[in-house]
Amino acid sequence: MTEFEPRIIVFACNWCTYAAADIAGTSRIQYPPNVRTIRVMCSGMVAPEHISLALESGADGVLVAGCHPGDCHYISGNLKAEEKFRMVSEVANMLGIENERIRLKWIAASEGPIFAQTIKDMVQELKKLGPSPFRKSQETGWEKAALTLEDILQDTKAYYCLECSKCTSICPVTKYDPSYSPRTVIENAALGLRDESTHDKKLFSCLGCYACSLKCPSDVDYPIFMRKLRSLAFESGECGCPAHGGLLHSVVRLMSRSPYKQKRLEWLTREYQTSDHSDILYFVGCIPYFEPIFGYLETKTLDITRANLKILNHLGVQPMLLPDEKCCGHDALWTGDVETFRRLAEHNTRLIKESGVQKIIFSCPEGYRTLKLDYPEQGFELGCELQHISEFVAEKIEKKELKFKEVRRKVTYQDPCRLGRHLGIYDSPRKVLEAIPGIELIEMEKNRECALCCGTSAFTNCDTYSHEMRVGRLLEAKATGAEILVTTCPKCQIHFKCAMNNKGEEKGPDINIEVMDLANLVASALE
Amino acid sequence: MEEKDLSHPRIGVFVCHCGINIGAYVNVPDVVEYAKQLPNVVHAERNLFTCSEEGISAIKKGIKEYNLNRVLVASCTPRTHEPLFRAACEQAGLNKYLFEFVNIRDQCSWVHMREPEKATEKAKDLIRMGVAKARLLQPLEEIEIKVAPSALVIGGGVVGMEAALNLANQGFDVHLVEKEPELGGTLRSVNKLFPTNKEAVKLIKPLVEHVKSHPKIKTYLSSKVEQVTGFIGNFNVTLDGKDKEDQFTVGTIVVAVGAEPLKPTGQYGYGKMPNVLTQLELEERMKRGEPLGQNVVMINCVGARVPERTYCSRICCMTAIKNAFLIKESNPKAKVWILHRDLMTYGVDFETYYRKAMELGVRFIRYSLERPPEVIGDEKVEKIKVYHELWRKEIELPCDMLVLTTPLIPAEDNQNISKMLKVSLDEFGFFLEAHLKLRPVEFAMDGVYICGSARWPTDVTEGISQAYAAASKAAGPLRMGYVKAEAINAFVNEDECSGCGVCEVLCPFQAIELQPRDEKRVSHINEAVCKGCGTCGAACPSGAISMHHFTDEQILAQVEALFS
């Protein structure tokens, strides 16, 4: 058998490391031929998704190399590269990918021998590790069901569309971006215009918020229609305009194909009681990954999971946590990547079944919706009860098993689309809020079925209109006079915080409001 | 010239043998055959030396014969040969940015000499990656920016005046702005200059006259720069004068605002006791010929090299020695002690001067930061107590006058000016050049230059040298009449921009600004200022910013091609 030869991609800064590699050549320093260099102008140009996509493509190792601090041709690009690299390393580490597979190194133009040595070292280390599990050749293909436009129309009964345009008139995306129209999307599909239907970046602007379907006189399930259309588009290579360079989608794809054990529970301290024999599972979701990725917004998303555990422990529940739980697949499914979704669903279903739990509790409405509705629909039966934390807490309140101390705050509540319109859960979170003495709940103008989305779904097509939508919602929240905007979805929180962080926003202080997850508010009110 | 149709890539691949440099290790004929199979490659050939006249004409011929709209050369390194091959493309009517370079010598044949098969395989991979990128290349144009043939010099001290004169003598109109009612800066207070002991006024006076009478220099006194907009070639300057506002346009700007001496209020009785003064105040007294007393003690590093101000101000040791020297020279019976922490008398002239001061009887005592000297006296300083580091004991010195040597500190206006000109300040508040070694008188912001104590405390000689350097740098664009902006720069898809401003903060050149567009604010990149580092694009959460010639698509196409 021939020895395994690692394949390494180097992103080399034009001014330093690329020159160092040339110097190694001029000096005829011999190093292993396992490296393929991509020249970039500055290491600061190397985006996190470049690294993760290189890993996805099957690189056994990735080296990002630039100028030493203080020597950057562009003043500080290398320092920015370092920040981004640190974030990617943290994410990769959480995925369980060995540290040796991705490296950052400063190599100056004169340091040809160092370049050669770095490659030698990397090749040696990677040989010890063996081939990347993400190499394409190592994969087994997934059987794809051939889908046509006609199938989608049939499945979703979108042909019942009366062209009344109620959907377009209620669509929050259309309100801010008039070039988007759900009705037109359906019409194009009904006319059989496959290219117009699939090769359209706006296809990925739909939030799947269900505002339209609730008004549709023909009961067309537009979000599901849209989701299926996206899977068709995905097959033709369309993915809209992924936010954050597509890093989040790439991480999920890596996770779906990864044989590594994740290190996603490192935040879990002894303070919290969990049990491997519990009947109740707490589904953590993607929150641990959000922490480094959205660190720049200073969102402390892990505080939400901590608060959930605190609540459960307070109620005498020592839940089970799955150390190798994977993404629920929501974003993959809603961006048309059915293959990735199925891998994830299969993995999670197996894990949950093996765990033998009776009940799963969610702090993320997307995970809840996906496991409750989409897993069974795609043939993944879990065979246990599912609940959102707000439902669980509301139940306990009803049974008088839970009492709160006083918290004197005025709050308003954001119904996340997945919890509200998707699953019809409007009352539980409100019951919980009303049970806390001192809390005054003031509803926004648009609430419950009419609530507005936070502006982005499945981390795709986050543009200026998404931002406007968030600003609109925040203004509504401020208009209530509330001090806190309470939500039950970590993504809502990220999106609102992003909007408030927006330097281009002239409304600035007018939209600033404390955003808090219901779990955090509940945890703070525990006696 | 006829516009080439670029929609369907027609790529030509030219593989160089580089004599035996590539050819002896990489199987070039095999590589060429391989390249021919790659999608969109319509022509592939090999040359003994692609950079020879023969090779260059082969490229030009190839472009015509096969109607190529993308060219790839696989040879040495773009760092030496890219301009040559780009020029060949241009001469054959192809935009030079439709050229892609693949390095199969410096980074392949030369470093894998013992593994020819693997080197050949690598060369094929690299060419496949290069072709994948070449397919996506787009033509780019370097924009030319006209440069207004005049300069602004901020600061009318000796350094600013020298810079202004230098520029004016080269034939450019110079606007010289001074915030005080008189030209001359700090030197107006200085008595004599080290190491020549020549009176400062003798240097300043003719210089001021020269500046005032120069037909090309317009001087604005008691004036401050109020606003600067624009960029290299066309800075629009607004001045806030005593009683009127001035506006003009300049091509380049020289910052020569100098620095200010620290007032050591509260230290060693300064401000309370009448016989405690700073070196500059001493010099003013000496100029007026006032009596100084028999026993003079000087303390160096007052407020310098301390935790709150860690830097060495460089010029103060020599200032103290000079004043001690002059006191001893005029009154040999006077006693002068300099209490110091280290002495900075670099170079031949300063060291000689220092030795002369010792010969004249100036005495030097070293003290440490842990045990600083102490003042003895109620109404005024009578004695100075100092712990002698070598003797390891405290000694008392009689003192009629205590002179505190304080560092130069950044001018108060620096913050304002730095914001206005979009240039950086260092941790102390002095102006920060683009590169300490390679670009010592330039800012990262094109068209703005720095000299003198505004950057770091400098003496007159150094300041003047820097003034010449900055002036000659500032004259470059003025003489050319235009500058070319980088074609490989970042651009914004405004529809996708959410206006979050992440890019604006990241840009090291301050080329990005959020600007209004349809009731919203979106990122706007000034292509004259952007240098094309791509840091903004890599951080844009909306994927709205791309880099010309290094788009995500182009980079990822290379990654995908490698593993396809």
Side-chain angles (χ1 to χ4, degrees), chain A residues 5 7 18-19 22 25 29-31 33 35-36 39 50 57 59 74-75 80 243-244 462 464 502-504 506, chain B residues 77 79 103 106-107 110-113 122 125 444 497-500 506 514 520-521 533 541-542 550 552 563:
Chain A
E5 288 296 342
R7 292 182 298 186
Y18 194 87
D22 281 350
I29 304 172
Q30 303 296 298
Y31 57 85
V35 42
R36 309 288 182 263
R39 183 165 67 114
H50 294 157
S57 300
Y74 305 103
I75 307 173
K80 310 281 160 44
H244 304 278
C462 182
T464 168
N502 197 312
K503 299 194 173 52
E506 279 164 334
Chain B
T77 169
R79 295 176 53 251
N103 184 331
D106 303 46
Q107 298 186 15
W110 276 353
V111 287
H112 313 309
M113 291 170 131
K122 178 171 172 178
D125 280 355
C497 174
S498 77
C500 73
L506 279 179
L514 291 168
K520 290 188 277 281
R521 276 155 66 84
C533 68
S542 306
F550 289 91
D552 279 353
F563 298 109

Side-chain angles (χ1 to χ4, degrees), chain B residues 146-421:
Chain B
K146 269 191 156 272
V147 176
S150 59
L152 162 71
V153 176
I154 311 177
V158 60
V159 174
M161 287 192 287
E162 287 286 3
L165 273 174
N166 193 298
L167 281 161
N169 286 341
Q170 296 187 59
F172 303 112
D173 290 321
V174 179
H175 302 269
L176 178 64
V177 180
E178 169 57 47
K179 65 180 194 300
E180 301 293 330
E182 264 180 81
L183 289 172
T186 311
L187 284 200
R188 284 190 300 127
S189 314
V190 171
N191 175 26
K192 288 181 179 177
L193 298 170
F194 60 77
T196 53
N197 289 357
K198 197 175 161 179
E199 281 173 51
V201 65
K202 286 192 176 150
L203 177 78
I204 289 292
K205 224 178 150 192
L207 202 57
V208 172
E209 275 160 21
H210 200 161
V211 166
K212 281 189 170 164
S213 62
H214 203 296
K216 286 275 182 192
I217 301 179
K218 190 164 181 203
T219 306
Y220 305 82
L221 297 173
S222 304
S223 298
K224 277 187 175 184
V225 179
E226 175 80 4
Q227 196 191 28
V228 178
T229 57
F231 43 86
I232 184 168
N234 298 282
F235 289 107
N236 301 308
V237 183
T238 309
L239 298 186
D240 177 19
K242 214 169 31 197
D243 24 53
K244 66 183 174 83
E245 227 183 47
D246 280 287
Q247 274 186 331
F248 48 81
T249 300
V250 295
T252 53
I253 299 177
V254 176
V255 177
V257 296
E260 292 162 5
L262 174 78
K263 290 266 184 205
T265 311
Q267 297 200 60
Y268 300 104
Y270 182 83
K272 274 186 242 152
M273 298 177 173
N275 60 342
V276 185
L277 50 164
T278 65
Q279 292 286 359
L280 208 57
E281 288 159 354
L282 169 68
E283 300 210 17
E284 277 168 347
R285 266 196 206 192
M286 289 165 90
K287 274 208 299 199
R288 292 194 295 265
E290 288 171 22
L292 305 171
Q294 274 309 106
N295 299 305
V296 180
V297 179
M298 297 181 178
I299 304 177
N300 283 8
C301 289
V302 175
R305 300 167 68 216
V306 289
E308 65 269 28
R309 201 176 295 101
T310 50
Y311 64 90
C312 163
S313 170
R314 296 176 75 244
I315 61 160
C316 1
C317 284
M318 280 303 291
T319 306
I321 297 172
K322 169 194 75 183
N323 288 335
F325 189 118
L326 295 172
I327 292 169
K328 285 298 281 183
E329 205 178 43
S330 62
N331 177 11
K333 284 193 179 147
K335 288 202 160 147
V336 186
W337 291 274
I338 295 181
L339 313 185
H340 66 93
R341 282 172 52 206
D342 285 303
L343 279 172
M344 178 79 126
T345 57
Y346 49 93
V348 179
D349 295 339
F350 292 0
E351 196 65 20
T352 313
Y353 193 90
Y354 168 40
R355 294 177 74 86
K356 254 195 198 146
M358 289 197 276
E359 283 163 22
L360 284 172
V362 178
R363 291 293 167 254
F364 295 86
I365 300 173
R366 190 186 160 104
Y367 75 92
S368 74
L369 190 58
E370 290 71 38
R371 298 187 73 160
E374 281 168 46
V375 169
I376 300 174
D378 297 325
E379 298 289 294
K380 60 183 193 111
V381 182
E382 276 153 18
K383 281 178 190 167
I384 294 292
K385 189 156 86 177
V386 60
Y387 178 77
H388 199 292
E389 291 276 305
L390 291 177
W391 298 349
R392 289 172 177 256
K393 67 173 186 187
E394 277 184 337
I395 54 171
E396 283 182 6
L397 306 170
C399 179
D400 301 320
M401 183 166 68
L402 175 62
V403 187
L404 303 179
T405 316
T406 59
L408 285 178
I409 56 169
E412 221 177 287
D413 268 357
N414 286 11
Q415 287 285 355
N416 265 339
I417 295 172
S418 108
K419 277 194 201 116
M420 213 154 37
L421 298 177

Side-chain angles (χ1 to χ4, degrees), chain A residues 83 87 244 287 290-304 306 490 493-503 512-516 520, chain B residues 502 505:
Chain A
E83 279 172 31
M87 185 264 270
H244 304 278
I287 284 183
F290 292 163
E291 193 88 349
I293 295 174
F294 296 105
Y296 73 100
L297 292 174
E298 288 171 16
T299 49
K300 297 250 180 292
T301 38
L302 272 175
D303 284 352
I304 303 174
R306 293 193 186 101
Q493 195 175 129
I494 291 170
H495 293 143
F496 285 133
K497 284 198 173 152
C498 177
M500 290 189 269
N501 200 40
N502 197 312
K503 299 194 173 52
N512 262 333
I513 182 167
E514 189 179 349
V515 183
M516 193 189 271
N520 293 89
Chain B
V502 165
V505 183

Side-chain angles (χ1 to χ4, degrees), chain A residues 78-178:
Chain A
N78 51 354
L79 302 181
K80 310 281 160 44
E82 195 177 18
E83 279 172 31
K84 287 175 206 142
F85 185 85
R86 211 178 296 138
M87 185 264 270
V88 177
S89 311
E90 230 175 286
V91 171
N93 185 48
M94 217 177 280
L95 282 168
I97 296 172
E98 300 95 338
N99 294 333
E100 293 86 346
R101 293 211 189 268
I102 56 171
R103 286 186 66 170
L104 173 77
K105 191 155 170 85
W106 308 137
I107 304 174
S110 59
E111 296 176 335
I114 293 181
F115 178 83
Q117 193 56 46
T118 306
I119 300 305
K120 278 183 207 167
D121 293 347
M122 262 190 104
V123 169
Q124 215 172 14
E125 282 166 0
L126 292 170
K127 279 190 175 175
K128 271 189 234 155
L129 288 184
S132 157
F134 304 114
R135 281 191 174 213
K136 291 254 160 74
S137 58
Q138 309 221 336
E139 260 177 48
T140 52
W142 202 280
E143 254 182 69
K144 273 182 207 147
L147 196 66
T148 66
L149 211 51
E150 191 51 38
D151 292 338
I152 297 174
L153 284 168
Q154 291 296 334
D155 286 356
T156 56
K157 302 203 169 35
Y159 46 70
Y160 281 140
C161 171
L162 298 169
E163 302 182 13
C164 73
S165 213
K166 276 199 162 66
C167 50
T168 301
S169 66
I170 192 98
C171 176
V173 178
T174 311
K175 186 182 168 204
Y176 292 98
D177 178 6

Side-chain angles (χ1 to χ4, degrees), chain A residues 229-366:
Chain A
L229 204 54
R230 281 182 186 175
S231 69
L232 203 63
F234 188 82
E235 277 170 33
S236 347
E238 286 292 346
C239 60
C241 189
H244 304 278
L247 174 69
L248 290 124
H249 303 103
S250 173
V251 167
V252 168
R253 284 193 301 268
L254 280 169
M255 198 191 292
S256 77
R257 291 163 53 201
S258 169
Y260 294 113
K261 289 265 169 275
Q262 295 174 79
K263 295 179 194 155
R264 64 201 315 280
L265 296 182
E266 311 229 313
W267 52 273
L268 190 65
T269 52
R270 290 217 181 137
E271 210 179 311
Y272 306 101
Q273 295 142 22
T274 59
S275 161
D276 292 341
H277 309 288
S278 180
D279 285 345
I280 297 182
L281 175 77
Y282 170 46
F283 194 90
V284 175
C286 293
I287 284 183
Y289 289 92
F290 292 163
E291 193 88 349
I293 295 174
F294 296 105
Y296 73 100
L297 292 174
E298 288 171 16
T299 49
K300 297 250 180 292
T301 38
L302 272 175
D303 284 352
I304 303 174
T305 55
R306 293 193 186 101
N308 274 278
L309 283 176
K310 199 177 159 193
I311 297 167
L312 290 171
N313 287 170
H314 184 84
L315 287 165
V317 178
Q318 299 179 1
M320 186 190 292
L321 264 64
L322 297 172
D324 205 28
E325 167 200 311
K326 288 187 177 177
C327 164
C328 65
H330 173 278
D331 291 359
L333 188 61
W334 287 85
T335 48
D337 185 359
V338 181
E339 185 180 332
T340 298
F341 168 77
R342 292 188 64 90
R343 281 178 205 282
L344 294 165
E346 193 184 60
H347 173 92
N348 286 331
T349 306
R350 184 170 49 76
L351 243 54
I352 290 167
K353 279 193 166 164
E354 280 170 8
S355 74
V357 294
Q358 305 293 314
K359 184 188 262 191
I360 309 176
I361 290 182
F362 295 85
S363 51
C364 167
E366 293 190 345

